[in-house]
Amino acid sequence: LIPVANLPLIAYEIVPLVQAGVRRIVFAMGYKADLLRAHLGDGAAWGAEFVYVEEAVPLDTAGALKNVAAYVEGPFFALNGDMIYDVDLVAFARAHVEREALVTFCLRRTPDIQHFGLIQWRDDGRVQAFREKVAVDETGRNTVNSGFYVMSPAVFDHIPSGEPYSNERQL
């Protein structure tokens, strides 16, 4: 809810999703969920339906996704919720579907990778390694996880229910 240019930070994810045709946004919620719900409402003012799913215990990144699986139909965007993106969402989703991928990462290049999850990939675009907080990328690509994905519902088959599970370290 931190204001950025007179909008809450989360608006910079909500607005592009709605503009790309997303009509239901599911919030996987933990800490201070009541504040977000009170501020954003049911989504009608944003042109979407908002569904809030609270975690009884912290479930980490993948566990939180599994916790909202009942509300997901077809491929879906998964976002960390605290970033500003400039991504062509329609093209991103289309590439995911065309490649029949389980997970498609939105990557970014950075000269300093040590504070991020490094994604190393083959020339065909398939991920070969996801390494958290390393100092050097031997490939020289320096592509890191942006915290923004398109996922197929089959990903839920790889995540245990009701327990903490990490996109970055386990999935």
Side-chain angles (χ1 to χ4, degrees):
L1 294 177
I2 295 170
V4 177
N6 297 320
L7 291 173
L9 179 59
I10 192 74
Y12 293 93
E13 294 184 3
I14 294 170
V15 170
L17 287 168
V18 172
Q19 288 174 340
V22 174
R23 294 295 169 251
R24 176 190 289 162
I25 298 175
V26 180
F27 295 93
M29 315 264 304
Y31 182 68
K32 297 197 176 192
D34 54 328
L35 295 176
L36 195 65
R37 182 184 296 108
H39 188 81
L40 297 178
D42 65 2
W46 299 85
E49 171 195 7
F50 290 172
V51 177
Y52 301 92
V53 180
E54 291 187 52
E55 301 172 0
V57 297
L59 295 172
D60 208 341
T61 50
L65 292 174
K66 178 74 170 205
N67 198 43
V68 303
Y71 300 95
V72 173
E73 299 171 12
F76 62 97
F77 293 107
L79 298 79
N80 281 357
D82 60 355
M83 305 287 288
I84 297 174
Y85 301 94
D86 182 17
V87 175
D88 181 336
L89 300 179
V90 174
F92 188 34
R94 186 181 317 113
H96 173 81
V97 171
E98 286 172 358
R99 293 184 66 105
E100 299 179 356
L102 186 62
V103 176
T104 301
F105 292 86
C106 181
L107 304 178
R108 67 182 181 92
R109 291 188 197 279
T110 183
D112 182 8
I113 63 171
Q114 65 186 336
H115 302 292
F116 306 99
L118 174 68
I119 308 293
Q120 293 177 318
W121 42 276
R122 300 187 314 230
D123 289 340
D124 68 357
R126 300 284 179 183
V127 172
Q128 68 184 35
F130 190 143
R131 301 171 50 210
E132 274 297 300
K133 317 288 189 284
V134 297
V136 176
D137 179 5
E138 306 81 29
T139 71
R141 288 182 171 142
N142 285 13
T143 49
V144 298
N145 179 20
S146 70
F148 190 174
Y149 316 85
V150 178
M151 297 183 170
S152 296
V155 75
F156 297 128
D157 297 339
H158 302 274
I159 305 169
S161 295
E163 63 184 75
Y165 206 74
S166 168
N167 286 331
E168 301 80 6
R169 291 175 197 81
Q170 295 166 294
L171 182 60

